[in-house]
Structure formats: C-alpha cells, structure tokens
Amino acid sequence: MKKAVFQLTFTAFLLSIVLLVLPLVSYAQPQQIHLGLGIKKSPSRPSPVLVTWFSAVSQGDEFLKYGVNEGKMKSVKASRTGFSGGSIFNGVMEDMKSGTRYVYKCGSDKDGWSGLYSFRSEPDTGTFRVAIIGDTQNSANNEGFMITSRIAGLVRIYSPSLTLHMGDLVENGSVTANWTGLLTATQDLNEISPLMPVLGNHDVQSNPGGNFQEPPQDYHLLFNLPGDEVNYSFTYRNVRFIGIYSGAADAAAKIDQVKFKPGSPESIWLDSELTKAENDRTINWIVVYMHYPVLSVGWSNVDKWRANIQPILERHKVDLCLAGHRHVYERYFQMKRGVMFKNDQTNILSTGYGTIYITNGTAGGNPTALGGTDLSSVAFTPDRTMYSFGIMDISDKSIAYSVYDQDNTLIDKFLIVK
Ligand SMILES: [Fe+2]
C-alpha cells in the first residue's frame, strides 16, 4: 500500500514538473514568425526572404537555419531589436536558387527552435501566385482575429508566393497587443508566404493633431519592408509591385493634408518608380496597392485622394490598382486617362483599355455594407455582404484573378490579357 502511495505521489510530482516546464519551453520558442521580401542584389537573382520572429525570454543569440533540405541547412545569426515584452529577431535567406523549395527554422539550442517550415523561392520563369487580403482589423466581430485566422488558413491552401495586404491590419495601431495578436493569428500563412502590407487609417493616428498620419513604431519594428517601409517598390519575377500609403485620407482632406499632392516628394517618387517600371523590359505588369480606394462611393470616397493618384497611375498605364478600406469586394470598369471603358465581355479584360481598380473587401473587419451595386462604373460586386480574399496567378501574358468568400466559394473570376 505504502509503495503504491509513493508511486502515485512520485508520478504526480513528475507530471507537475512536466506541466510547469512545458509552457515555459513553448513560451521561450520563436513566436509570430513571418516572412518578408528583401531587395535583390542583382535582377537575375531571386528576392532574399527575410524571417522575423518574436521571443519573450531569449537573452542570447538566435539563429536562422535554411537550406534545400533539413540535412543541408546554412546557419545565420539573427539581428536583435528590443520590443515590448521581449525581442524581435531578423534573419535573411539569400543566395537561393530560383523557384526552389527551401526549408527553414529559427531559434537557438538554448531557448528552443521553431517548427520546420518551407516556402518556394522566387521563380525566374512561368506562373506564380499572389494572395490579396485587406482590413484584418480586430473589430468587435473579429475579436482575437478569429475570422482573420480562418481566412489566413484558407489562403494558405493556395500556397501563394507572396501576400499583399491592403492595410487596416489592426483596429488600433497604437496598441502593441493588436500587432502581435495579428501576427500570431496569421502565422500559418505568414510562415510560408512573405507578407507585404501597406498602412491603413486604423493603423495610424487618424485624428488631426499630434502624430497625425504618422506610422506607429511597432509597424517599423515588426515588418522589414523595402525603402522607408511606408511607400515602397519591389520587383518579383515579371511584376513591379508598388505599395503606397494613403494616410487617413478622409480626415486629411478636411485640412488639406491628403498624401501624394502633385509636386510632393512622394508624388515625385511614385512618378519616377512608375517611369522606371514602364521602361524596364523585364517587367510585364505594374501593380500598385494602397488602403484608400481611388474609385469608391459614399464615405470611403475621397475626391482629393482620387485627384492626386488617378492621373499618375493612368499616365503610366498601371495594370492593376488594388485597395481596401471599404469592406466589400468591388471591381470597376477599366479607366484610361480618366475615361471609362465598358466592354461586353466583362471577364476577359485587355490591358490596352486601361487600369483596373479593385477594392479587396475584408479579411476580418466587419462587412456591414454592400458594394456599389447601383453604380454604373462597377463591373462586378456581389449582392450580399461577405469576407473575402483574392488570388492572382500571374504569367507573362495574363493574370487570372479569383476572389473567394469566407467559405472558400468562388465569387468572381476574370482574366487580364496583354
Ligand atoms: Fe480603413
């Protein structure tokens, strides 16, 4: 009897140790792992892929290991930056082969390693896939990013080479827990697909006054985007992607502080980036993305934003202008130098007829309104509210653009041809 009691007590003791230690181990491991794209050293090489992670307890060095298989991984020491409640680490995967599956993990022997994840490096030929999400803000309907997490899981099924985010990543950008909550909820997607966001009005101080339209420090700490990270451009395969910051456009319009005013440094920069893209023979497509739509209706329409941006995009024959902000999916008829082109065959579009403007709904923010169902300028919008995400398959001659709802049901599909 005594022996049985002793065995039982000893087992309970061991179990309590395990239960105590397990959470500490998982707490120590890398969290919020997400990928980003770096700038190429040479146009013929695949984009470097940046890995960012958070550790709550790490005091020593942390490392990124990567290679074509687990038995053949290169180890690079990560850089460390102090962050609320711990540290942010960054490592770079570079000098990779094109279009090749790589595996990676991050962490250290002392504090533990992440799982082993994989992604495909930038291809130098053929088709590749881009995901589009927007407005993942954790408003009351999306508490704890519950809906966003589900949508990120659906997007992951499509294995996109990269993910563009249209902004309003969080409900309130001044709260650090919102940023870390988003990156925790979407890690399943971000660990396989570089996340390239632009800022929305909810991500910044959107009331005129101190720090009006200033990006929060957390954004700069958590993301490693090209350039100044606010307005940036990068090339992936045959596409020049340009992400621009539309500020808190509606509040800014009331005090004449709308971004990209003609002659402003950012407007001159955009003009120059688009000129370079147009003259680059390796570029087949130009995709510009932002938070505030250029074409919209009601409260989300800001005439001054449209007046600042639309002429530049159409002058440089931008193929696609993607946006968020309005929690709908809306696709407009093409616009060329301010003139709308309406064709009968709305699902096969030729780039010669102008820029295609798309508002990419919501991947979490409350979808309370319908798109412009009664607008003659809208080529397609669903007749019901929904969460949604977009998938583009891009080749030299065409882009197949598909949109799915929260149940992964196809909502819209069209082809853009050169
Ligand atoms: Fe917004």
Side-chain angles (χ1 to χ4, degrees):
M1 180 66 183
K2 266 187 183 173
K3 192 179 172 189
V5 169
F6 172 76
Q7 278 178 340
L8 202 64
T9 312
F10 187 66
T11 307
F13 172 72
L14 282 181
L15 195 64
S16 61
I17 295 284
V18 168
L19 287 174
L20 267 174
V21 168
L22 262 182
L24 287 177
V25 169
S26 61
Y27 185 61
Q29 283 174 333
Q31 299 166 43
Q32 302 157 36
I33 297 162
H34 54 284
L35 303 181
L37 292 172
I39 293 293
K40 298 174 190 193
K41 285 181 190 165
S42 131
S44 60
R45 306 291 303 162
S47 300
V49 174
L50 311 168
V51 189
T52 304
W53 67 94
F54 172 80
S55 172
V57 298
S58 174
Q59 296 300 320
D61 291 337
E62 298 236 339
F63 299 87
L64 169 67
K65 292 188 175 189
Y66 69 99
V68 289
N69 61 56
E70 196 178 359
K72 204 179 169 185
M73 292 202 291
K74 194 179 190 177
S75 180
V76 291
K77 189 180 154 189
S79 65
R80 173 204 290 271
T81 313
F83 189 77
S84 173
S87 302
I88 295 286
F89 290 91
N90 284 292
V92 186
M93 299 189 271
E94 49 195 351
D95 299 324
M96 294 181 287
K97 292 180 202 155
S98 303
T100 303
R101 183 152 296 282
Y102 278 81
V103 294
Y104 75 92
K105 63 179 182 179
C106 51
S108 67
D109 289 340
K110 183 167 169 278
D111 292 315
W113 290 92
S114 69
L116 188 70
Y117 305 119
S118 73
F119 71 100
R120 191 168 281 279
S121 63
E122 180 186 345
D124 57 4
T125 182
T127 303
F128 72 98
R129 179 170 282 175
V130 177
I132 302 124
I133 57 172
D135 301 79
T136 51
Q137 62 217 77
N138 49 325
S139 42
N141 64 303
N142 187 29
E143 208 173 320
F145 297 97
M146 199 172 57
I147 291 160
T148 298
S149 171
R150 174 182 157 81
I151 289 179
L154 290 177
V155 177
R156 182 186 161 112
I157 296 169
Y158 294 86
S159 296
S161 291
L162 63 137
T163 302
L164 306 178
H165 193 306
M166 305 294 117
D168 278 358
L169 291 102
V170 295
E171 180 71 2
N172 181 348
S174 64
V175 178
T176 297
N178 287 346
W179 294 100
T180 56
L182 171 75
L183 291 170
T184 302
T186 54
Q187 188 188 308
D188 279 355
L189 173 60
N190 304 335
E191 71 196 18
I192 64 155
S193 177
L195 177 62
M196 305 301 278
V198 287
L199 286 158
N201 54 306
H202 276 269
D203 302 319
V204 301
Q205 173 53 259
S206 57
N207 295 319
N211 296 331
F212 180 53
Q213 303 194 98
E214 281 299 309
Q217 188 62 13
D218 286 345
Y219 180 79
H220 288 298
L221 290 172
L222 289 166
F223 294 102
N224 285 290
L225 300 165
D228 69 0
E229 304 187 297
V230 173
N231 298 304
Y232 60 89
S233 133
F234 64 97
T235 301
Y236 193 93
R237 214 334 232 136
N238 53 349
V239 184
R240 178 70 45 84
F241 292 97
I242 304 180
I244 63 172
Y245 174 41
S246 49
D250 51 344
K254 294 175 185 119
I255 52 173
D256 196 25
Q257 287 188 21
V258 178
K259 303 279 184 188
F260 289 85
K261 200 183 261 191
S264 63
E266 68 251 33
S267 180
I268 292 166
W269 171 85
L270 179 60
D271 200 54
S272 150
E273 287 300 309
L274 288 169
T275 303
K276 279 190 262 174
E278 266 190 298
N279 294 333
D280 187 335
R281 286 176 168 208
T282 67
I283 301 294
N284 293 118
W285 305 96
I286 306 176
V287 176
V288 181
Y289 57 108
M290 61 200 67
H291 183 61
Y292 272 79
V294 170
L295 302 183
S296 191
V297 61
W299 57 268
S300 56
N301 181 59
V302 180
D303 286 338
K304 285 181 182 166
W305 173 243
R306 176 178 175 169
N308 288 357
I309 292 296
Q310 187 174 9
I312 308 182
L313 302 187
E314 292 174 21
R315 186 164 67 243
H316 291 289
K317 302 186 183 73
V318 167
D319 297 298
L320 270 171
C321 172
L322 309 175
H325 188 57
R326 193 164 155 79
H327 296 175
V328 298
Y329 169 69
E330 248 170 14
R331 169 160 67 86
Y332 285 79
F333 285 106
Q334 285 168 276
M335 297 281 282
K336 188 176 180 180
R337 294 192 181 266
V339 177
M340 189 169 295
F341 173 75
K342 286 193 179 187
N343 62 346
D344 296 333
Q345 175 49 277
T346 56
N347 284 46
I348 300 177
L349 310 175
S350 167
T351 53
Y353 293 112
T355 303
I356 301 163
Y357 294 88
I358 299 174
T359 305
N360 286 278
T362 163
N366 210 355
T368 50
L370 285 176
T373 45
D374 54 351
L375 275 188
S376 60
S377 52
V378 170
F380 178 82
T381 191
D383 57 5
R384 60 189 171 88
T385 60
M386 64 178 63
Y387 302 101
S388 66
F389 61 92
I391 298 289
M392 286 195 284
D393 286 325
I394 304 178
S395 68
D396 287 347
K397 298 277 185 215
S398 69
I399 297 181
Y401 199 115
S402 308
V403 179
Y404 301 88
D405 72 2
Q406 66 268 22
D407 298 318
N408 206 19
T409 302
L410 185 69
I411 299 306
D412 186 25
K413 184 168 185 141
F414 64 98
L415 193 68
I416 312 167
V417 291
K418 280 279 174 200

